[in-house]
Amino acid sequence: MAAPDPVQLSDRVYYLPGGVNMAIVRGEDDQAVLVDTGQDKEAGRTLRKACETLGLAPVAIVNTHAHADHYGGNNYLTRNLNLPVYAPPFEASIMRDPYFEPVYLYSGAKPLRELTSKWLLAKPSPVDHLLKVGGLELAHTPLDILDTSGHAHVHYSVVVDDVLIAADALFGPSVLEKYPLPFGQDIGRQIESATLLAGTDVRVTLPGHGDPSDDLGALIDVNVAAFKRAADTVADACDGATTDDVLRRSCDTLGIELTDLPRYHLNRCVVLGYLEYLRESGRVEVRLADNRLLWHANSAA
């Protein structure tokens, strides 16, 4: 399959469309900053070739969070181009030791071998600088780092001029239709982060998955609606059910078929995130009975 051509979003921002959107920020002196690097070395090569096509020399990588599909190209790029990597705190630990991702998906135990494919286990990446919320200048170009945590425990988005590189703080509508239980690790913060982005003055928004949008408000609305629909679905399954029963009922309601072990564990992680969110908001409670952990709707909610 031919590599995608870079698509220009503004004077300084390009992106490579694909399963994961990767961004290129043109700085001064024909330099470039890469924002997220895709799944693997092929994605890294694609980014490198795109920069060559644009006549740009990459000088740094900014990663928004530590899910394998967003930093998997780092290993190739750092080895071949010696690029410094900027990443959020906490997420940096996972990038340096990616085994943490399948471990946490398997509740802390040695993970099933099916959870150690490149989809969930990227190659290690150095992290040279921890990102901070606020202004950052790379390649003589100002970037604004926003805290949009929730999809990942620490998740940052990037604003360049009038472009919001949202990464997985927001998903395109077609992605939400395909994946009606959108991945999140802290659902309360995920909803809060999406809502707070409404105050961002930008012309175009690039989600991590899906097409760019020139209507940030509408994109936020469809994401928050999807998060809340998923929360209601999970809550409806809590009638004294185990976590696995909540997962099964939620998937049945949303038309999700779990056909492999990685998808099962990813969706189970999401359901646990929703259950804790619902518990924090008083909508469900958890009880132990007969050596089982059971989720109940809170009748007082």
Side-chain angles (χ1 to χ4, degrees):
M1 182 179 295
D5 293 325
V7 178
Q8 190 165 10
L9 297 177
S10 71
D11 287 345
R12 291 198 272 197
V13 180
Y14 301 80
Y15 88 104
L16 296 180
V20 178
N21 292 326
M22 303 176 287
I24 300 170
V25 178
R26 178 175 56 82
E28 293 186 10
D29 302 322
D30 295 328
Q31 295 179 332
V33 177
L34 310 179
V35 182
D36 287 344
T37 63
Q39 184 76 62
D40 52 23
K41 64 183 179 182
E42 294 305 321
R45 287 194 184 103
T46 297
L47 270 171
R48 184 179 185 178
K49 290 178 182 177
C51 287
E52 291 172 356
T53 298
L54 295 170
L56 301 176
V59 295
I61 296 170
V62 172
N63 290 114
T64 59
H65 63 294
H67 291 162
D69 59 337
H70 285 259
Y71 76 94
N74 281 24
N75 183 272
Y76 168 84
L77 291 163
T78 55
R79 283 189 297 104
N80 286 276
L81 300 179
N82 196 32
L83 302 182
V85 175
Y86 294 72
F90 183 83
E91 305 295 304
S93 297
I94 300 172
M95 292 169 59
R96 290 171 176 142
D97 192 348
Y99 192 61
F100 280 128
E101 184 169 358
V103 165
Y104 72 62
L105 287 173
Y106 202 56
S107 301
K110 179 182 178 180
L112 300 171
R113 65 178 181 273
E114 288 86 352
L115 301 184
T116 59
S117 69
K118 69 178 182 181
W119 191 33
L120 298 176
L121 180 63
K123 289 190 175 182
S125 168
V127 176
D128 304 281
H129 306 279
L130 294 180
L131 287 170
K132 296 180 180 179
V133 173
L136 172 68
E137 184 173 300
L138 293 173
H140 305 289
T141 300
L143 313 178
D144 190 14
I145 308 300
L146 308 181
D147 186 348
T148 50
S149 299
H151 169 78
H153 288 290
V154 183
H155 180 291
Y156 290 164
S157 299
V158 183
V159 175
V160 183
D161 298 332
D162 57 357
V163 177
L164 168 62
I165 304 170
D168 288 353
L170 298 170
F171 302 99
S174 63
V175 176
L176 293 170
E177 290 178 8
K178 186 175 181 180
Y179 301 102
L181 192 60
F183 192 89
Q185 295 178 301
D186 184 337
I187 308 304
R189 290 199 69 183
Q190 187 174 31
I191 294 171
E192 180 183 13
S193 292
T195 303
L196 289 175
L197 282 174
T200 309
D201 184 15
V202 293
R203 178 182 53 82
V204 62
T205 299
L206 178 67
H209 306 267
D211 296 330
S213 173
D214 60 2
D215 190 338
L216 175 57
L219 187 61
I220 291 170
D221 288 346
V222 73
N223 274 265
V224 172
F227 302 151
K228 291 185 176 180
R229 181 170 57 249
D232 290 343
T233 300
V234 172
D236 288 344
C238 294
D239 60 355
T242 65
T243 301
D244 279 349
D245 281 339
V246 173
L247 171 62
R248 176 180 57 81
R249 294 173 185 176
S250 299
C251 288
D252 288 347
T253 298
L254 295 170
I256 299 169
E257 185 177 3
L258 303 179
T259 56
D260 57 56
L261 289 170
R263 285 182 176 82
Y264 170 84
H265 284 282
L266 281 167
N267 281 277
R268 191 176 191 276
C269 180
V270 177
V271 162
L272 286 168
Y274 274 97
L275 286 168
E276 178 57 16
Y277 164 66
L278 292 164
R279 187 180 185 220
E280 288 174 345
S281 57
R283 293 179 61 183
V284 306
E285 56 187 41
V286 63
R287 304 173 192 167
L288 283 170
D290 300 324
N291 291 328
R292 295 184 303 160
L293 188 150
L294 305 175
W295 297 95
H296 294 262
N298 190 341
S299 57

